[in-house]
């Protein structure tokens, strides 16, 4: 049996769990069903090998059961994101605080730590400071670190006509960085500053370092149809065969949103976008096909993804024991959550990494205290 421990949480901010409060639009996307995940590297661009190892002890199923066993009923959406049934992040916050009170955990807010020497009177130290946008914020830990850069952000696109379509959602697109293998699929949202949505956020995660190295100015390719060139050619040929007398802008391939199709048709065909389908020549058809499959924009910068700031980088995974997450150079010091060089795409994966690494550390400390 594990002897009771005295546990103190030091929180720099005025409140604990502030990130939980704002996540998922205030609903807290606490994990994911992982039903559609066949390769962890697609949801954990950094740290997938370690996550695969740790999942053998505590994975998303364990997290789901743990929350429900502690009074938080959960629900899984169609996109496989898991939220509290209450749709309120404070359901989770209140549960954690109640657990802390029940176990006599001392929480000290507004209490920053500047050096590990400040914690020398503790037998074990667990660092869960989250992602740090500036690498200097990690220097006090005296550990090998990987340069931190932002992840999970939206793209600024300097195109007023595109921005005028703000609020338009396209459910199935493929976005990629030309000249690389970096691409992502899913919904895309056009905003007043450019592009957002799951596909863009995923791509920003995959390309986090590449984009940072290029000052967030790179070309972006959008396949609006998420189909091959041959498939798009077939779709347009069928439209011509069935609707030869219809105006090009009036018949939308793949049931594309009306405003978006008008924008794309005008961008490609200019005033001929208002001609009949039968009047388009082969060169124009080829241009239209290419636009639907490989429409190119220039990323002009990045915008944060609401308040959910995620960083790529942190404590190097080479600096810790992969079984316990204990520092190799500072015995008794452990790391969990985003402070590690582990980060995921949007969809509950970052919180799952937090739960899994926290469980791993807790188990290691409990075993050490027997």
């Amino acid at each position: 049996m594990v002897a009771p421990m005295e546990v103190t949480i030091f929180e720099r901010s005025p409140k604990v769990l502030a990130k939980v409060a704002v996540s998922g639009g205030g609903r807290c996307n606490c994990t994911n069903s992982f039903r559609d995940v066949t390769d962890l590297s697609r949801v954990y661009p950094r740290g997938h090998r370690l996550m695969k190892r740790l999942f053998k002890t505590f994975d998303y199923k364990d997290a789901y059961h743990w929350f429900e066993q502690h009074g938080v009923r959960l629900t899984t959406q169609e996109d496989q994101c898991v939220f509290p049934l209450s749709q309120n992040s404070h359901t989770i916050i209140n549960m954690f605080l109640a657990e802390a009170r029940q176990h006599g955990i001392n929480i000290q807010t507004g209490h920053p730590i500047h050096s590990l020497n400040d914690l020398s009177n503790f037998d074990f130290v667990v660092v869960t400071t989250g992602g740090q946008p500036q690498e200097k914020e990690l220097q006090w830990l005296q550990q090998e670190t990987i340069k931190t850069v932002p992840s999970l952000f939206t793209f600024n696109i300097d195109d007023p006509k595109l921005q005028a379509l703000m609020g338009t959602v396209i459910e199935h697109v493929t976005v990629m960085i030309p000249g690389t293998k970096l691409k992502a699929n899913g919904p895309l949202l056009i905003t007043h500053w450019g592009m957002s949505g799951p596909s863009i956020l995923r791509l920003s995660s995959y390309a986090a370092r590449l984009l940072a190295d290029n000052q967030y100015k790179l070309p972006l390719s959008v396949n609006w149809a998420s189909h091959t060139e041959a498939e798009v050619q077939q779709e347009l040929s069928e439209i011509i065969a069935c609707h030869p007398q219809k105006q090009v802008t009036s018949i939308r391939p793949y049931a594309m949103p009306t405003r978006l199709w008008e924008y794309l048709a005008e961008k490609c065909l200019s005033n001929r976008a208002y001609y009949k389908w039968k009047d388009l020549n082969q060169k124009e058809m080829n241009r239209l096909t290419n636009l639907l499959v490989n429409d190119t924009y220039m990323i002009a910068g990045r915008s944060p993804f609401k308040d959910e700031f995620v960083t790529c980088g942190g404590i190097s995974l080479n600096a810790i024991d992969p079984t316990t997450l204990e520092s190799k150079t500072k015995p008794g010091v452990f790391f969990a959550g985003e402070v590690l060089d582990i980060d995921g795409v949007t969809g509950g994966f970052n919180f799952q990494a937090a739960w899994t690494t926290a469980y791993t550390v807790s188990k290691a400390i409990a075993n050490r205290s027997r």
Side-chain angles (χ1 to χ4, degrees):
M1 183 176 179
V2 180
M5 286 187 179
E6 291 185 9
V7 178
T8 300
I9 295 174
F10 296 107
E11 170 60 55
R12 178 172 59 182
S13 303
K15 293 182 180 180
V16 293
L17 303 171
K19 196 165 185 178
V20 174
V22 300
S23 71
R27 297 186 298 140
C28 189
N29 181 188
C30 58
T31 187
N32 191 283
S33 76
F34 283 71
R35 188 196 68 179
D36 301 325
V37 179
T38 57
D39 182 352
L40 282 184
S41 68
R42 299 304 295 167
V43 294
Y44 291 110
R46 271 73 53 180
H48 64 276
R49 292 185 180 87
L50 179 58
M51 289 303 298
K52 183 176 181 179
R53 176 176 187 157
L54 300 183
F55 271 1
K56 295 176 182 178
T57 303
F58 191 88
D59 66 4
Y60 47 95
K61 295 177 183 176
D62 297 310
Y64 193 106
H65 293 149
W66 189 92
F67 278 111
E68 293 228 320
Q69 288 168 0
H70 287 77
V72 178
R73 295 285 306 281
L74 300 176
T75 183
T76 304
Q77 297 184 163
E78 288 185 12
D79 61 2
Q80 304 311 304
C81 294
V82 177
F83 289 86
L85 187 62
S86 66
Q87 299 293 303
N88 190 329
S89 61
H90 285 278
T91 302
I92 288 179
I93 292 172
N94 292 340
M95 179 273 293
F96 278 137
L97 292 177
E99 286 292 308
R101 286 193 296 270
Q102 180 180 339
H103 294 285
I105 294 174
N106 177 26
I107 299 176
Q108 296 190 25
T109 57
H111 197 303
I113 301 295
H114 301 291
S115 169
L116 287 175
N117 293 331
D118 297 343
L119 304 170
S120 58
N121 58 324
F122 288 89
D123 296 320
F124 304 103
V125 174
V126 184
V127 179
T128 59
T129 53
Q132 300 298 321
Q134 297 185 28
E135 198 170 1
K136 65 181 182 180
E137 296 291 337
L138 299 173
Q139 291 177 356
W140 67 278
L141 295 169
Q142 303 171 28
Q143 298 291 309
E144 177 188 350
T145 60
I146 303 299
K147 180 181 178 181
T148 57
V149 298
S151 181
L152 286 191
F153 47 85
T154 62
F155 295 165
N156 294 338
I157 307 291
D158 188 13
D159 182 339
K161 290 185 177 180
L162 176 74
Q163 295 168 357
L165 305 178
M166 64 179 187
T168 300
V169 176
I170 308 89
E171 292 296 338
H172 303 288
V173 303
T174 300
V175 291
M176 66 177 296
I177 305 296
T180 74
K181 295 182 179 180
L182 301 169
K183 66 178 181 179
N185 305 302
L188 183 148
L189 168 67
I190 299 174
T191 68
H192 66 275
W193 63 85
M195 295 182 184
S196 183
S199 63
I200 294 295
L201 294 171
R202 284 185 176 234
L203 185 62
S204 78
S205 180
Y206 299 152
R209 293 206 177 279
L210 178 65
L211 285 161
D213 290 343
N214 287 275
Q215 291 74 52
Y216 304 97
K217 291 178 174 59
L218 281 175
L220 170 71
S221 174
V222 181
N223 183 331
W224 295 106
S226 264
H227 286 287
T228 65
E229 184 173 323
E231 289 170 336
V232 171
Q233 286 178 336
Q234 179 63 31
E235 170 78 2
L236 297 182
S237 295
E238 291 176 2
I239 288 176
I240 291 176
C242 296
H243 309 283
Q245 299 295 331
K246 292 289 187 179
Q247 185 175 292
V248 172
T249 55
S250 68
I251 303 297
R252 298 165 291 135
Y254 304 106
M256 195 169 289
T258 301
R259 290 197 303 157
L260 174 64
W261 174 238
E262 289 177 353
Y263 161 79
L264 293 175
E266 289 179 4
K267 179 180 179 180
C268 180
L269 304 173
S270 191
N271 66 315
R272 286 181 65 81
Y274 299 93
Y275 281 43
K276 296 177 181 178
W277 275 99
K278 71 178 183 62
D279 294 331
L280 296 186
N281 58 43
Q282 189 58 51
K283 186 176 181 180
E284 290 168 330
M285 289 294 292
N286 290 341
R287 288 210 312 267
L288 200 54
T289 298
N290 183 67
L291 185 78
L292 288 172
V293 173
N294 183 30
D295 191 12
T296 304
Y297 299 84
M298 180 57 69
I299 300 170
R302 66 174 180 85
S303 298
F305 176 43
K306 299 180 182 178
D307 298 309
E308 302 176 59
F309 195 83
V310 175
T311 54
C312 157
I315 301 299
S316 171
L317 301 187
N318 294 325
I320 60 171
D321 183 320
T323 303
T324 63
L325 308 186
E326 183 177 16
S327 168
K328 291 180 179 179
T329 59
K330 297 284 184 181
V333 177
F334 298 77
F335 300 93
E338 201 187 330
V339 69
L340 291 163
D341 185 24
I342 301 173
D343 66 286
V345 301
T346 183
F349 301 105
N350 285 294
F351 271 137
Q352 181 57 53
W355 315 141
T356 295
T357 53
Y359 179 88
T360 300
V361 168
S362 299
K363 183 178 179 182
I365 291 175
N367 289 338
R368 188 83 60 84
S369 304
R370 290 182 186 279

